[in-house]
Amino acid sequence: MLFLVNQICSDSGCLSRARLFAQAKEHGTLVRSEHTSCPNCQTKQEDASHLLHCPDAGRFSLFRTEVKKLEEWLCKSHTDPELSRILPLYILRRGESNLSEIQYLSRDLQPFAFEQDLIGWDNFMIGQISGQLRQYQYVHLLNSPSIMSVDDWMAAFIGKLLHIVHGQWIYRNVSKHHEKLGSIRRAERRELLMEIDRLIHVRPEEVPEESTFLLEVDFARLRKGELTSQNYWVHAIKAAMVAGRRRTFGTSPRRGADS
Ligand SMILES: [Zn+2]
């Protein structure tokens, strides 16, 4: 039996099925629609499944941190001790090995492990969990001093899983934002360099005498310099050319003459 997210109670403070699936689908659909490379590991054709399998060290470090928090929650939430041991291990393997392959798995947990292996790790992370887990934890809670119901436990557990997925999504989006900013800056720099290469050929007689020092700059150094210095020089030389034309012709420059 498959314990789906929609079997979690949707009232009494539990996460609703709609919200959980909306989050999970959002992660997949948006990544799929962009068809771009991963901003962290540069894998081409980043698809939905890449979100939880990115090999980038920063992404995995965040993943590990979040799994550690989940592990702490399991320990303090009256979770069966064996589940507390195997669930973080299973999550950290990111689908590279089956749940049933975890060492020292007890015979009692094998039905859960085999069923979950059929459902898959990626589905597990978005809340598609074998009903055997609920049953196993239910028996444990019955024999514990906890007043938590098994449905509340399942809802909280799936919420923690989705939090891990969401963390990866946020990390990825922040990286993408910085990547876009970087590419805008690179485009600005390319345009400025083209402008500098064009203005290098301005002759001294085209600018007022007091501005000729602008033509004495070390162009090789200017090309390698800061964006601000390059911008300053380009604007200064353009202003000097306009002033030069005014002096020569004694009139305002023609429209577009300074471009
Ligand atoms: Zn990646």
Side-chain angles (χ1 to χ4, degrees):
M1 183 184 77
L2 174 66
F3 186 90
L4 284 168
V5 179
N6 59 2
Q7 288 173 277
I8 298 170
C9 56
S10 57
D11 44 18
S12 72
C14 296
L15 291 168
S16 74
R17 175 190 61 178
R19 189 175 142 216
L20 293 174
F21 272 119
Q23 283 181 354
K25 279 192 168 180
E26 183 193 13
H27 298 147
T29 313
L30 288 179
V31 174
R32 263 198 303 278
S33 67
E34 288 184 4
H35 296 296
T36 53
S37 59
C38 170
N40 302 114
C41 71
Q42 310 308 319
T43 288
K44 304 282 180 203
Q45 297 291 319
E46 178 194 26
D47 59 16
S49 69
H50 185 78
L51 184 68
L52 292 174
H53 297 272
C54 179
D56 176 75
R59 286 266 289 267
F60 190 56
S61 172
L62 172 66
F63 190 84
R64 254 198 324 254
T65 303
E66 295 298 336
V67 175
K68 185 77 192 155
K69 286 183 194 167
L70 170 70
E71 196 174 354
E72 287 163 9
W73 176 83
L74 289 169
C75 289
K76 66 181 183 193
S77 302
H78 298 282
T79 308
D80 172 83
E82 189 174 6
L83 285 178
S84 293
R85 178 181 74 85
I86 66 165
L87 289 173
L89 286 175
Y90 176 57
I91 295 167
L92 278 174
R93 290 182 182 182
R94 299 203 291 181
E96 286 171 13
S97 62
N98 286 328
L99 181 56
S100 57
E101 289 167 352
I102 285 182
Q103 273 193 318
Y104 311 118
L105 189 71
S106 71
R107 188 181 289 268
D108 289 346
L109 271 176
Q110 283 177 1
F112 162 53
F114 288 130
E115 197 165 83
Q116 193 59 55
D117 287 342
L118 290 175
I119 298 166
W121 182 87
D122 287 68
N123 288 329
F124 175 84
M125 291 303 293
I126 57 168
Q128 294 187 12
I129 296 173
S130 159
Q132 302 279 347
L133 172 66
R134 181 185 181 280
Q135 190 54 34
Y136 201 80
Q137 176 60 14
Y138 172 70
V139 173
H140 179 76
L141 283 173
L142 275 185
N143 297 300
S144 80
S146 172
I147 54 166
M148 187 184 243
S149 75
V150 71
D151 284 333
D152 283 350
W153 186 92
M154 286 297 295
F157 176 62
I158 291 172
K160 302 279 175 199
L161 292 179
L162 289 176
H163 183 76
I164 295 172
V165 177
H166 194 64
Q168 293 292 303
W169 178 240
I170 297 291
Y171 190 114
R172 178 255 179 211
N173 282 352
V174 169
S175 308
K176 198 79 189 168
H177 175 70
H178 285 294
E179 188 186 63
K180 274 184 186 165
L181 269 183
S183 79
I184 289 168
R185 294 231 167 89
R186 282 193 294 277
E188 274 178 7
R189 193 173 183 88
R190 266 199 306 276
E191 273 178 34
L192 260 178
L193 287 176
M194 283 166 64
E195 194 73 344
I196 289 170
D197 289 343
R198 192 173 69 86
L199 293 169
I200 277 173
H201 303 292
V202 170
R203 286 168 287 123
E205 57 268 29
E206 290 181 74
V207 297
E209 196 179 342
E210 62 272 22
S211 299
T212 51
F213 73 94
L214 289 168
L215 300 173
E216 291 163 9
V217 297
D218 181 340
F219 284 111
R221 201 168 162 186
L222 179 67
R223 289 188 97 264
K224 289 180 191 165
E226 294 286 318
L227 211 64
T228 320
S229 316
Q230 293 173 338
N231 236 323
Y232 169 80
W233 185 84
V234 165
H235 281 94
I237 197 78
K238 281 184 173 180
M241 288 168 72
V242 172
R245 279 196 290 271
R246 278 187 181 144
R247 282 200 191 167
T248 305
F249 302 108
T251 57
S252 296
R254 286 168 298 159
R255 180 185 285 269
D258 60 330
S259 61

